[in-house]
Amino acid sequence: MNSSNLIFFCLVIMNEAILISSSNWSTKVNLTHEHLTHSIPTRQATFVGAILAIVFIFFGLIGNLILIITILSVKKLRSNIINIFIVSLQFNDLLNIGFNQFFVGLSYANRNWVGGPLICTLVVYFSTICMGCLLWHHCLIAIHRLMVVVYPNLLRRMSVKTYIIVSLVITRILPILCCIPSFLTKSIAYSQRALRCSSRNKIQIYINITILILLPNVIIIFSFIGIFVHVLHATHTTVRTNTNTVSTSHSLRREIRITKMFAILFTLFFLGYHPYGFVRAFDKRSQLHPDIYVLLTLLYCISICASPLVYGIMNNQLRHECMRVLFNCWHCYKIDDYKKYSHHRLNSTLTTTTTHSTIIRNGEDVADEQTCTTPSLRRTKMKYLKKKKSSVPLVDTACV
């Protein structure tokens, strides 16, 4: 009796242990499943993000291509230093939109990375290079604007061609050199929260924040502040002394308009990229929801794709030339279609006329009734009949 009770007691303990272990295992499985579901963005966020990204990528590519073709095809636009910087910026945006943002939009549509590990690594490098190139472009443009408005004598002494070459070289070489730590350590890994790869190297993150973000931002902000302070001081002294020079005021208004255009572009990029960059740099514990990364990525994509719209609104010359180039392309296309249509119609008329005249000469009346349906063919027949009647000899009535 005691042995049977002991066996029953042992079975009860074993059953309880199995139930406890199974419940613990199920809770662990549920926790891991919840962790995986919360570590990637939701379906609603990725669906909306994919649609908006594809739409803005499409219009951004078309706008950048139209701007580049217009500036390179018009001589008076091609000879301006500002337009050279704009073309360089648009080529940078084409790479960023057509490669980086395109694969990000595909990852949102698939809810997973679709380009493979090599493309994932290249997107990290190209994102860093395009971001640094864009900010340093704005930095050197702001320095040029400062010299044009505030220090025009200094600008006359220096070579404009040398400044353009040095600026374009710096904007390309400096971001590439900043990617060396990440390339040497191979610290790029895939992030489920952002659905793309990112750099985990602390030195690389520090270099990106200091050299590629903070330093050009500080130079740009101080340059624009110096420009607007000088403009306010110049307008105040002009009003006080009552000296109005038409040419000086017109040129100054033009330079202020160009400066405002680049200030709006910089503000748009500042509000679009910097929240995303700082969140990616400082959210090491992954405390933010993954949908926030989708929202910040969309803001960055919109800020890049909207630059052609800003150029068209703020620059009247670029807008008119772009409209003229588009109208000429459409007009040439319509003329080519009209020429092809008229040439085809002329060939068809000539072939039908020649076949009809051949039938009349051979005297085939049945075929003549079938082919003589158009006015041109009727006219041809009447001319032939008149010619035939005129060839009949008339009766000589002289003797009568």
Side-chain angles (χ1 to χ4, degrees):
M1 187 70 180
N2 292 329
S3 61
S4 63
N5 290 330
L6 182 62
I7 291 170
F8 178 74
F9 181 72
C10 290
L11 290 173
V12 170
I13 292 174
M14 289 176 64
N15 288 327
E16 289 179 356
I18 291 170
L19 289 172
I20 291 170
S21 62
S22 63
S23 64
N24 289 331
W25 182 79
S26 64
T27 54
K28 288 181 180 179
V29 170
N30 290 329
L31 287 174
T32 54
H33 180 69
E34 289 177 358
H35 177 71
L36 288 175
T37 54
H38 287 294
S39 62
I40 62 175
T42 59
R43 287 186 181 275
Q44 293 81 7
T46 53
F47 178 75
V48 175
I51 292 176
L52 293 178
I54 291 171
V55 170
F56 280 102
I57 286 169
F58 176 74
F59 286 106
L61 289 175
I62 292 177
N64 286 319
L65 287 174
I66 290 173
L67 268 178
I68 292 172
I69 292 171
T70 302
I71 294 174
L72 294 180
S73 61
V74 180
K75 186 176 180 180
K76 63 181 178 180
L77 296 179
R78 197 169 57 241
S79 60
N80 193 353
I81 181 174
I82 295 300
N83 294 328
I84 295 173
F85 280 115
I86 291 175
V87 170
S88 182
L89 277 170
Q90 298 313 111
F91 274 115
N92 183 68
D93 288 344
L94 276 179
L95 176 62
N96 199 355
I97 296 170
F99 186 76
N100 299 333
Q101 304 303 320
F102 175 72
F103 279 102
V104 171
L106 289 181
S107 68
Y108 286 159
N110 196 36
R111 293 195 74 201
N112 196 5
W113 185 257
V114 295
L118 178 61
I119 301 297
C120 194
T121 304
L122 289 177
V123 166
V124 176
Y125 289 127
F126 285 161
S127 297
T128 304
I129 292 170
C130 290
M131 179 267 299
C133 182
L134 194 146
L135 276 175
W136 277 102
H137 262 92
H138 282 288
C139 178
L140 295 173
I141 289 171
I143 293 173
H144 179 260
R145 293 286 89 204
L146 181 66
M147 288 189 294
V148 169
V149 178
V150 183
Y151 305 106
N153 295 325
L154 179 63
L155 185 65
R156 295 190 191 99
R157 295 176 196 168
M158 63 184 294
S159 175
V160 178
K161 186 180 294 185
T162 305
Y163 182 80
I164 294 173
I165 294 172
V166 172
S167 301
L168 296 180
V169 169
I170 289 175
T171 54
R172 297 294 190 275
I173 298 298
L174 187 61
I176 295 174
L177 294 177
C178 290
C179 294
I180 292 176
S182 180
F183 181 75
L184 294 176
T185 57
K186 297 180 180 180
S187 58
I188 296 175
Y190 179 72
S191 174
Q192 289 184 348
R193 301 176 68 83
L195 295 179
R196 78 193 75 172
C197 292
S198 60
S199 179
R200 303 296 175 87
N201 191 353
K202 293 182 179 180
I203 299 175
Q204 181 68 55
I205 296 172
Y206 178 76
I207 290 174
N208 291 343
I209 292 174
T210 54
I211 298 177
L212 298 181
I213 296 178
L214 290 179
L215 182 60
N217 282 331
V218 170
I219 296 174
I220 292 168
I221 291 171
F222 276 102
S223 298
F224 283 134
I225 289 174
I227 290 170
F228 288 114
V229 168
H230 176 77
V231 169
L232 289 175
H233 179 70
T235 54
H236 179 69
T237 55
T238 303
V239 171
R240 188 175 61 183
T241 56
N242 294 324
T243 58
N244 292 322
T245 306
V246 177
S247 60
T248 304
S249 62
H250 179 71
S251 62
L252 185 62
R253 285 199 300 270
R254 178 179 176 275
E255 299 300 333
I256 291 170
R257 194 183 306 114
I258 296 173
T259 306
K260 286 180 180 179
M261 179 182 70
F262 285 107
I264 291 172
L265 285 172
F266 170 71
T267 305
L268 190 65
F269 179 76
F270 185 89
L271 297 176
Y273 175 77
H274 288 78
Y276 172 77
F278 284 113
V279 166
R280 287 290 302 273
F282 292 105
D283 189 26
K284 298 299 181 183
R285 296 180 181 180
S286 300
Q287 296 178 355
L288 294 176
H289 197 275
D291 291 348
I292 297 177
Y293 285 91
V294 178
L295 176 62
L296 296 178
T297 304
L298 284 177
L299 290 177
Y300 177 43
C301 181
I302 292 170
S303 66
I304 297 172
C305 299
S307 60
L309 183 62
V310 177
Y311 288 127
I313 294 174
M314 299 294 295
N315 196 326
N316 296 327
Q317 188 181 16
L318 274 179
R319 183 174 65 252
H320 292 319
E321 292 297 332
C322 287
M323 295 297 292
R324 189 179 65 82
V325 169
L326 290 175
F327 177 76
N328 290 337
C329 292
W330 176 256
H331 186 63
C332 293
Y333 176 75
K334 298 294 287 184
I335 288 176
D336 291 337
D337 286 345
Y338 179 74
K339 286 181 178 179
K340 291 178 182 178
Y341 175 73
S342 60
H343 183 69
H344 176 71
R345 188 175 178 181
L346 180 62
N347 288 334
S348 62
T349 306
L350 289 175
T351 54
T352 54
T353 306
T354 53
T355 54
H356 176 67
S357 62
T358 305
I359 290 169
I360 292 175
R361 290 192 188 97
N362 292 332
E364 296 178 356
D365 297 333
V366 177
D368 178 55
E369 291 178 358
Q370 293 178 354
T371 56
C372 187
T373 57
T374 60
S376 60
L377 296 180
R378 290 195 185 100
R379 285 195 298 269
T380 306
K381 182 180 177 181
M382 295 302 293
K383 288 180 181 179
Y384 180 75
L385 292 175
K386 287 180 181 178
K387 186 176 181 181
K388 189 175 180 180
K389 289 180 180 179
S390 63
S391 62
V392 177
L394 298 175
V395 178
D396 191 8
T397 60
C399 62
V400 179

